[in-house]
């Protein structure tokens, strides 16, 4: 087990329920014209629980100590196959389209692209789907410098940048870690500051998180608190992560596999 908060019995229980959820959501998504998805008022939202469940399955498998190839598979399917497919099938025009999923979730998806070793073509399909949303309608509209940097990492065309960092309280240190203007020796320091503050920022906003893990009962949806964004930055931009190897939120083994 890579996660020490929960024991093996919890992970066995959680894996079974996650598999059941994925099976249910997959059937619901396949039968979307005939079977309205419970508690969602639009058709586009029906694909989102499947995407979320697959993404969280990767986190759960990593927490439980599965081989990295098994860890990668569901998350890769979520961001590379289902996200572009769902957007293509439903569009983003409300009320029947796919709702905007937010800034932090997009960060998590982009990190998953890096950690799953997505190809340039797969990354291009993801960003093309992302661009179908009207991202200029609120505070996290358009490309900030971090998203734009990842486009360049995948060899995609440069895009106009609308802001430095959309949520600086949470992500400013991540940007400093990858900012080309920063000296090399400072990058690990910025990345560590980002990881050190990541959980508190995410938990305070209920962003990019599952149910908090303090009560790991039968109904807990805890899958582990892994800062994929930091691991992806280390892999994509060659940042030394030795200071982070013992951090409880840093998925070091996953980063090692992604850079191999």
């Amino acid at each position: 087990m890579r996660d020490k908060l929960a024991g093996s019995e919890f992970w066995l229980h959680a894996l079974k329920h996650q598999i059941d959820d994925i099976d249910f959501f997959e059937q619901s998504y396949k039968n979307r014209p005939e079977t309205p998805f419970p508690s969602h008022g639009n058709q586009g939202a029906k694909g989102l629980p499947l995407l979320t469940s697959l993404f969280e399955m990767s986190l759960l498998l990593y927490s439980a100590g599965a081989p990295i190839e098994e860890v990668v598979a569901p998350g890769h399917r979520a961001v590379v196959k289902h996200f572009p497919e769902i957007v293509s099938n439903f569009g983003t025009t409300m009320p029947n389209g796919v709702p905007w999923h937010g800034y932090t979730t997009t960060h998590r998806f982009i990190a998953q692209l890096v950690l799953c070793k997505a190809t340039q073509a797969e990354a291009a399909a993801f960003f093309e789907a992302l661009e179908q949303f009207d991202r200029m309608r609120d505070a996290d509209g358009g490309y900030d410098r971090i998203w734009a940097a990842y486009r360049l990492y995948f060899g995609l065309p440069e895009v106009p940048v609308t802001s430095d960092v959309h949520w600086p309280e949470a992500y400013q240190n991540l940007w400093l870690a990858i900012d080309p203007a920063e000296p090399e020796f400072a990058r690990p320091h910025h990345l560590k500051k980002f990881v050190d503050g990541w959980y508190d920022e995410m938990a305070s906003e209920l962003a990019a998180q599952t149910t908090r893990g303090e009560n790991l009962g039968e109904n807990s949806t805890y899958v582990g608190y892994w800062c994929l964004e930091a691991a992806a930055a280390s892999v994509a931009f060659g940042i030394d992560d030795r200071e982070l190897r013992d951090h409880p939120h840093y998925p070091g083994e996953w980063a090692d596999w992604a850079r191999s």
Side-chain angles (χ1 to χ4, degrees):
M1 296 180 297
R2 299 180 180 94
D3 184 290
K4 306 304 181 187
L5 183 59
S8 57
E9 185 176 342
F10 174 84
W11 292 122
L12 288 171
H13 176 82
L15 282 165
K16 178 184 182 304
H17 279 273
Q18 196 76 9
I19 291 168
D20 290 345
D21 281 351
I22 289 171
D23 288 344
F24 174 77
F25 292 138
E26 199 147 35
Q27 288 305 312
S28 175
Y29 175 55
K30 288 177 181 176
N31 299 326
R32 60 189 179 279
E34 296 82 20
T35 311
F37 191 82
S39 78
H40 289 287
N42 63 67
Q43 292 293 304
K46 290 172 58 179
L48 297 182
L50 172 60
L51 194 153
T52 300
S53 292
L54 287 166
F55 185 91
E56 292 183 350
M57 184 61 153
S58 278
L59 302 181
L60 196 158
L61 286 167
Y62 185 79
S63 295
I68 300 295
E69 288 78 6
E70 293 179 19
V71 170
V72 164
H76 182 265
R77 182 153 65 101
V79 298
V80 166
K81 178 180 186 295
H82 285 300
F83 177 64
E85 182 181 80
I86 290 165
V87 171
S88 176
N89 284 348
F90 297 109
T92 59
T93 303
M94 303 305 287
N96 294 319
V98 181
W100 172 236
H101 48 270
Y103 180 64
T104 55
T105 298
T106 301
H107 264 297
R108 303 280 272 169
F109 288 173
I110 292 172
Q112 188 77 290
L113 289 175
V114 174
L115 295 176
C116 293
K117 301 185 187 180
T119 65
Q120 184 183 59
E122 290 170 337
F126 172 87
F127 281 104
E128 285 169 13
L130 182 67
E131 286 158 13
Q132 302 308 303
F133 294 90
D134 179 11
R135 298 176 322 284
M136 298 304 296
R137 67 187 176 188
D138 51 31
D140 60 353
Y143 280 89
D144 72 352
R145 293 191 184 281
I146 301 175
W147 291 359
Y150 277 105
R151 281 185 60 95
L152 293 178
Y153 164 74
F154 282 109
L156 303 179
E158 194 168 355
V159 292
V161 172
T162 59
S163 72
D164 286 345
V165 179
H166 292 322
W167 183 4
E169 295 83 0
Y171 292 99
Q172 182 63 23
N173 282 306
L174 179 61
W175 164 243
L176 291 174
I178 69 175
D179 182 356
E182 285 291 301
E184 285 298 320
F185 71 84
R187 298 186 190 284
H189 170 72
H190 292 310
L191 195 62
K192 186 174 188 304
K193 284 187 69 175
F194 169 64
V195 179
D196 285 342
W198 173 81
Y199 175 78
D200 286 341
E201 287 291 337
M202 296 301 105
S204 67
E205 297 289 329
L206 298 178
Q209 285 288 16
T210 55
T211 302
R212 291 173 68 92
E214 283 80 353
N215 177 20
L216 297 181
E218 286 191 2
N219 296 321
S220 175
T221 56
Y222 177 69
V223 295
Y225 298 142
W226 300 109
C227 185
L228 303 187
E229 300 92 326
S234 174
V235 171
F237 301 100
I239 303 171
D240 187 341
D241 65 354
R242 282 176 293 182
E243 286 189 71
L244 298 172
R245 304 306 294 196
D246 295 326
H247 198 288
H249 301 314
Y250 187 71
E253 289 180 56
W254 199 341
D256 291 341
W257 179 88
R259 67 168 62 90
S260 65

